[in-house]
Amino acid sequence: MPTVGVKRDLLFKALGKTYSDEEFDELCFEFGLELDEITSEKEIISREQGNSKASSASDVILYKIDVPANRYDLLCLEGLARGLQVFKNKLDAPRYRRVSPVSGDRQRLIITKETAAVRPHAVAAVLRNITFTQERYDSFIELQEKLHQNICRKRSLVAIGTHDLDTISGPFTFTAKRPGDISFRPLNQTKEYTATQLMSLYKTDSHLKHYLPIIEDKPVYPIIYDSNGVVLSMPPIINGDHSKISLQTKNVFIECTATDLTKAKIVLDMMVTMFSEYCLQPFTVEEAEVVCPDGRTIIYPELAYRKEKLSAEFINRKVGINESAESIAQLLTRMCLLSQTTGDELEVEIPPTRPDVIHACDIMEDAAVAYGFNNITRTIPRTYTVANQLPLNKLTELLRQDLAAAGFTEALNFALCSQEDIADKLGKRISETGAVHISNPKTADFQVARTTLLPGLLKTIAANRKMPLPLKLFEISDVVLKDQNKDVGARNSRRFSAVYYNKTPGFEVIHGLLDRTMQLLEVKAVRGGGYHIQAADDSTFFPGRCAEIFVCGKSVGRLGVLHPDVISHFELTMPCSALEMDIEPFLGHTAETFLTHDVPMQEAVQHQFVKCVASQQTLLSHPLSTKTLFGDMSTQVGLKALDDFLADRSYIEGFEASQADTAVFDAIPSPPPQTFCHLRRWYNHIKSFQLERTRLPSAKAQFVLPEAPPTSKNDTSEDEIDLFGSDDDEESVEAARVREQRLLEYAAKKSKKSPLIAKSSILLDVKPWDDETDMAKLEECVRSIGMDGLLWGQSKLVPVGYGIRKLQIGCVVEDDKVGTDLLEEAITAFEEYVQSVDVAAFNKV
């Protein structure tokens, strides 16, 4: 969430009321914001650099407010104050208007075809007769920076240029030229530079150097000229000094160049709507004309208002309230969404300041905020489900406890490793391992997904060599194996591995651990129906000191004394015995248990154990009859009767599942519709018992009725005559056709679905050189680091000792684009501020 810093007194002046800190904190909460910190410039400097450096700093109180990332209209004091006043019913939401110039001639921005190679889009507008004060000017500049860091994605999507219109002359030309052909005096410089020289000049600039890579490798650079050849800007790097705005500026020309036209229009609307209230005609914006390379002429800014319709019942149902349409319309109006009612429907007007509203759910969320989350009555859900632990995880937890009781210490290692760890160091070739490779690894330590747990345990021992001997470690975790039968080409497999490291190999210890494990799994030491070991050859183990583990005639793992070369590759000096085996076969069925009816049956991996096959055949069988005491389960009437019966019951009989539940379950030919919520809840719950249904208690009564015997053709009793006919068969055929069509549509949609982007949350500890280091400058340097796939988060200063504080800052990265070593290298490049960088926490998002 972006944090906006505003001066308390200026904010209260804009709100027309003075609040205590607690009152304003409560107001922010009601509006969906969070008052993160109350501080001052002096306090910040004193905390980071000491009291001596803060003596001349300002005592003005600052409010640090966390704003939702999609609320671009709240990134400055003007938008924040306006939103709060409308929320408190002290002000009506303003109506923004686009007006034509008084002179009749619009400012024109001409885009040439050369820009297609770098930044093909541009928009423009004019703020006419605006009045700046120092506070307004600072807020104007700060809003640009906030937008650059947020929606503009560090200027890679959009770059904003603001110019004093009285110092330049239109029409303006947006083109692209070779770097050597561009020459101008950039902002705050005293002489002219070519674009090539500017790239070298700003290589050391802590603020601008992060934007250079956006166009650095392009054959041409974007540039904007006025009619006299004066350079307005070279987006997205720097503006020209000639047209810079100041407190005396009266007319501001705003241009936004972009690679994303939609984002550019949003940014332009934000800039002009936030500060148009300071124009001579408040909330009016002078339009400008943009001429595209194909000759089309478009007028900006759009300042488009649109209307959406939705029902009050939708908002009441989703939020959990019971308000009239008129009341909901008032709530939405308080959120700057002007609303009117037409019966039970709401007509909501979306202003140009709210591009975050793209769906009815966004409108519903604003209604919930205005109503107050604390005012929503707490209710118990109408349905409930009973959770059940995944059998594989349950087995894993039970094994962990007993293995720890056997004297082994559990380790937990990374699921990613280097190619050397699973291949060269174990005496194997990488092609033999069948490892899943990372397409764009950032470090050599994380190149592939591990296919064995052994390297992680050996590296753990190497890192703890100084600990007292013997070292006995184990790990139960997943490895990743290639599997062409899976839609992703790979699957997880749960493994158990243990190592014993001492002055003697200790093979008997590992063998004893295997026997203890088999005892816990209730597998006897016999050939055929139990387990046994037999000699095997494996390059990882010492010749003649390796054995393969067989369970019910199938190989599940190996144990033995590690080869001396393997031990030396992991920088160990003493002998070591190891064991690794697959624990999934001991479940009696696949670890990919069917959790819901949505899991396709063909996705199951069938193990060849007899018990599994028998149980699978048993659980999928259905009785011939669908007639029950509640009615025929193939009809809506019967399902409705059963749904009513289960409204206040968890099971058919008593307080636990029994054979009565499975009998009625089998009588239902297909999953019941969502409309029968109680039946649906019971159905999914009983479905989770399918693998152990034979062990459920017997039923006390009969709930499924046998089918009536077939009648002869001559039997024409009155009860058997169908006077009105029946079209059940036709309906079944039609239902099957619709179902098949939906399955095909779902498969086609799934095949087009883009892959998920793996992300990680990282917490970094940045240590300064000494207690005199400017911590504010240090944080500014760190946050100035911009990379594709990197998003900085919140930060704080943590005391280290002797008056020194370290910067603790969080970020979210895309794993295939940004690595921790890349971050550390970029941060330590600021040698005058940073001493070292440590990764304090690393979590998958």
Side-chain angles (χ1 to χ4, degrees):
M1 294 176 67
T3 300
V4 180
V6 295
K7 295 180 179 179
R8 182 192 63 183
D9 295 341
L10 287 177
L11 179 59
F12 288 171
K13 181 179 178 182
L15 293 176
K17 181 180 177 180
T18 300
Y19 295 87
S20 67
D21 293 341
E22 292 76 13
E23 290 172 340
F24 187 74
D25 188 13
E26 182 64 25
L27 175 61
C28 287
F29 178 80
E30 291 175 3
F31 192 54
L33 309 178
E34 181 180 354
L35 180 58
D36 183 58
E37 185 182 5
I38 303 172
T39 183
S40 66
E41 181 183 346
K42 186 173 184 177
E43 183 179 344
I44 295 174
I45 297 177
S46 176
R47 185 170 60 240
E48 296 176 355
Q49 303 179 33
N51 294 331
S52 58
K53 298 289 183 69
S55 57
S56 59
S58 172
D59 287 323
V60 175
I61 300 299
L62 298 177
Y63 278 167
K64 300 283 188 178
I65 303 173
D66 286 342
V67 175
N70 61 347
R71 290 298 301 270
Y72 316 120
D73 58 317
L74 302 179
L75 292 176
C76 62
L77 182 143
E78 287 74 14
L80 190 62
R82 198 177 305 153
L84 288 172
Q85 283 185 303
V86 174
F87 180 72
K88 297 298 288 184
N89 291 320
K90 294 183 178 179
L91 182 72
D92 292 332
R95 189 84 184 178
Y96 304 100
R97 295 185 300 114
R98 187 179 71 187
V99 297
S100 300
V102 177
S103 63
D105 296 328
R106 303 188 188 99
Q107 295 297 332
R108 178 181 296 181
L109 178 61
I110 302 171
I111 306 175
T112 67
K113 62 182 180 180
E114 288 79 10
T115 59
V118 277
R119 300 177 79 81
H121 306 294
V123 295
V126 176
L127 289 176
R128 182 71 67 177
N129 294 321
I130 192 171
T131 301
F132 280 123
T133 63
Q134 186 62 54
E135 291 78 14
R136 296 174 183 177
Y137 178 84
D138 293 341
S139 182
F140 187 74
I141 300 300
E142 186 176 355
L143 177 60
Q144 292 184 59
E145 285 303 310
K146 292 291 184 184
L147 291 173
H148 274 151
Q149 297 301 315
N150 193 353
I151 185 175
C152 299
R153 296 296 186 270
K154 294 184 172 61
R155 305 190 188 183
S156 60
L157 298 182
V158 185
I160 309 168
T162 55
H163 314 278
D164 189 336
L165 187 58
D166 296 330
T167 64
I168 50 181
S169 175
F172 308 100
T173 303
F174 175 40
T175 186
K177 292 186 176 182
R178 291 182 299 177
D181 297 337
I182 299 174
S183 178
F184 68 102
R185 181 157 63 96
L187 191 65
N188 299 327
Q189 297 293 330
T190 57
K191 65 176 184 178
E192 289 191 354
Y193 294 87
T194 64
T196 306
Q197 292 171 334
L198 283 177
M199 288 296 180
S200 300
L201 175 66
Y202 292 133
K203 282 283 187 183
T204 57
D205 189 285
S206 61
H207 178 62
L208 295 178
K209 68 179 182 180
H210 306 291
Y211 308 124
L212 303 184
I214 299 176
I215 62 171
E216 193 173 23
D217 298 328
K218 304 291 183 181
V220 292
Y221 290 175
I223 193 79
I224 301 178
Y225 293 97
D226 75 348
S227 59
N228 298 321
V230 175
V231 173
L232 275 67
S233 66
M234 185 178 75
I237 310 301
I238 193 72
N239 288 348
D241 189 72
H242 180 82
S243 60
K244 67 180 179 182
I245 63 173
S246 64
L247 294 180
Q248 288 71 43
T249 298
K250 285 297 181 182
N251 302 299
V252 180
F253 178 70
I254 303 175
E255 44 83 8
C256 299
T257 58
T259 57
D260 187 321
L261 182 59
T262 301
K263 296 286 194 301
K265 291 189 287 188
I266 292 174
V267 169
L268 182 65
D269 284 349
M270 285 302 112
M271 289 297 301
V272 297
T273 54
M274 291 302 103
F275 290 90
S276 58
E277 67 173 297
Y278 300 137
C279 294
L280 187 60
Q281 297 183 34
F283 306 114
T284 61
V285 183
E286 184 178 306
E287 60 191 19
E289 191 177 284
V290 175
V291 182
C292 301
D294 58 4
R296 290 181 300 116
T297 298
I298 306 175
I299 307 300
Y300 292 107
E302 289 187 346
L303 296 183
Y305 285 83
R306 76 177 199 276
K307 292 185 177 181
E308 299 287 346
K309 288 187 177 181
L310 69 162
S311 66
E313 184 273 336
F314 168 80
I315 293 179
N316 281 325
R317 175 164 45 87
K318 293 297 183 182
V319 179
I321 57 179
N322 186 21
E323 295 290 314
S324 64
E326 292 76 11
S327 177
I328 295 176
Q330 293 175 5
L331 294 176
L332 292 173
T333 301
R334 292 176 57 200
M335 300 299 292
C336 295
L337 302 177
L338 184 61
S339 303
Q340 295 178 344
T341 59
T342 54
D344 191 46
E345 275 203 338
L346 296 168
E347 187 177 75
V348 184
E349 186 179 60
I350 315 300
T353 55
R354 295 298 305 276
D356 59 296
V357 179
I358 58 178
H359 189 273
C361 289
D362 299 311
I363 300 175
M364 175 269 295
E365 181 186 10
D366 271 13
V369 171
Y371 184 83
F373 288 109
N374 286 342
N375 298 326
I376 300 175
T377 305
R378 294 186 181 184
T379 57
I380 299 176
R382 292 181 58 197
T383 62
Y384 63 91
T385 58
V386 179
N388 192 19
Q389 188 177 19
L390 198 65
L392 179 60
N393 290 339
K394 186 174 182 178
L395 176 62
T396 299
E397 293 299 328
L398 292 172
L399 280 177
R400 280 173 173 159
Q401 295 180 18
D402 286 292
L403 292 173
F408 281 72
T409 302
E410 185 177 11
L412 186 62
N413 294 296
F414 291 114
L416 299 180
C417 61
S418 67
Q419 296 184 27
E420 287 185 346
D421 288 343
I422 61 171
D424 298 342
K425 291 184 179 181
L426 297 181
K428 302 181 184 295
R429 279 182 284 198
I430 189 66
S431 58
E432 298 174 353
T433 63
V436 177
H437 291 251
I438 306 301
S439 62
N440 186 26
K442 295 300 181 183
T443 68
D445 293 331
F446 303 109
Q447 297 173 314
V448 295
R450 62 182 176 182
T451 57
T452 171
L453 303 178
L454 186 57
L457 292 176
L458 295 177
K459 292 172 75 173
T460 302
I461 291 179
N464 294 273
R465 288 191 300 264
K466 296 181 179 179
M467 298 294 291
L469 296 176
L471 292 178
K472 300 191 291 183
L473 300 180
F474 80 94
E475 181 175 5
I476 306 179
S477 295
D478 286 352
V479 298
V480 181
L481 306 173
K482 286 186 177 179
D483 188 343
Q484 296 305 321
N485 295 325
K486 298 296 179 183
D487 55 352
V488 296
R491 64 180 174 88
N492 283 17
S493 178
R494 187 66 54 87
R495 295 281 184 87
F496 157 52
S497 183
V499 294
Y500 177 85
Y501 180 73
N502 202 0
K503 296 178 181 179
T504 58
F507 177 75
E508 68 280 2
V509 177
I510 288 296
H511 194 179
L513 183 65
L514 172 64
D515 291 338
R516 173 57 179 161
T517 304
M518 292 300 180
Q519 183 184 24
L520 294 169
L521 295 170
E522 298 181 355
V523 181
K524 296 182 179 180
V526 294
R527 287 181 178 269
Y531 82 96
H532 70 278
I533 63 173
Q534 67 183 42
D537 291 327
D538 191 317
S539 57
T540 303
F541 296 91
F542 197 85
R545 296 292 186 272
C546 174
E548 194 162 5
I549 307 168
F550 289 88
V551 176
C552 298
K554 291 189 173 295
S555 175
V556 296
R558 295 187 176 182
L559 77 160
V561 179
L562 294 181
H563 197 286
D565 291 342
V566 174
I567 294 174
S568 61
H569 287 158
F570 286 94
E571 301 178 0
L572 301 176
T573 57
M574 296 183 185
C576 184
S577 295
L579 155 71
E580 183 159 344
M581 57 186 286
D582 187 358
I583 66 172
E584 291 186 9
F586 299 97
L587 292 171
H589 55 83
T590 174
E592 298 180 6
T593 308
F594 312 135
L595 299 181
T596 68
H597 63 281
D598 295 324
V599 180
M601 296 297 292
Q602 61 268 25
E603 288 293 325
V605 179
Q606 297 284 346
H607 288 288
Q608 298 302 317
F609 298 119
V610 178
K611 290 182 180 179
C612 175
V613 175
S615 64
Q616 293 279 350
Q617 292 174 347
T618 301
L619 101 168
L620 294 178
S621 62
H622 281 273
L624 296 177
S625 176
T626 61
K627 304 288 182 63
T628 69
L629 292 179
F630 309 101
D632 191 344
M633 290 297 103
S634 63
T635 65
Q636 295 292 311
V637 175
L639 295 176
K640 178 66 169 60
L642 181 56
D643 181 72
D644 293 339
F645 175 79
L646 293 169
D648 56 354
R649 293 176 174 86
S650 298
Y651 304 103
I652 301 297
E653 285 186 331
F655 301 99
E656 62 177 342
S658 66
Q659 297 295 339
D661 294 279
T662 60
V664 177
F665 175 89
D666 290 339
I668 302 176
S670 62
Q674 297 282 359
T675 52
F676 301 129
C677 58
H678 305 297
L679 174 57
R680 187 82 175 186
R681 175 259 304 166
W682 170 87
Y683 185 91
N684 289 334
H685 180 43
I686 299 305
K687 190 173 183 178
S688 68
F689 285 97
Q690 294 291 13
L691 295 176
E692 61 251 31
R693 59 186 292 162
T694 56
R695 298 194 294 272
L696 294 177
S698 301
K700 299 176 183 177
Q702 183 178 359
F703 290 87
V704 179
L705 306 178
E707 289 283 4
T711 59
S712 64
K713 294 183 179 179
N714 297 328
D715 186 0
T716 57
S717 63
E718 186 176 348
D719 292 339
E720 298 299 324
I721 298 175
D722 187 0
L723 297 176
F724 304 99
S726 174
D727 58 354
D728 287 348
D729 293 339
E730 295 178 3
E731 290 180 356
S732 300
V733 173
E734 177 64 17
R737 186 192 67 77
V738 172
R739 183 168 62 254
E740 288 296 324
Q741 180 180 355
R742 289 177 177 173
L743 286 173
L744 291 174
E745 292 173 352
Y746 173 78
K749 185 185 295 184
K750 184 177 179 182
S751 64
K752 298 177 182 178
K753 190 175 180 180
S754 59
L756 293 174
I757 299 175
K759 296 184 179 181
S760 299
S761 175
I762 304 175
L763 187 64
L764 300 171
D765 283 341
V766 184
K767 298 177 182 177
W769 271 112
D770 52 34
D771 59 346
E772 295 184 357
T773 302
D774 187 341
M775 297 302 293
K777 188 66 177 177
L778 186 149
E779 181 176 355
E780 180 183 344
C781 293
V782 173
R783 291 187 181 275
S784 66
I785 297 172
M787 303 178 186
D788 186 20
L790 168 64
L791 180 64
W792 290 110
Q794 293 185 348
S795 64
K796 64 179 179 179
L797 297 177
V798 180
V800 177
Y802 304 101
I804 300 177
R805 295 170 180 264
K806 66 181 178 181
L807 172 66
Q808 196 169 78
I809 185 168
C811 63
V812 175
V813 301
E814 294 183 18
D815 295 346
D816 60 344
K817 295 181 180 180
V818 182
T820 54
D821 59 333
L822 196 63
L823 279 176
E824 293 174 13
E825 181 180 351
I827 296 174
T828 52
F830 300 103
E831 299 177 351
E832 64 272 30
Y833 300 104
V834 180
Q835 183 182 30
S836 63
V837 180
D838 296 321
V839 178
F842 187 98
N843 297 307
K844 288 291 182 182
V845 176

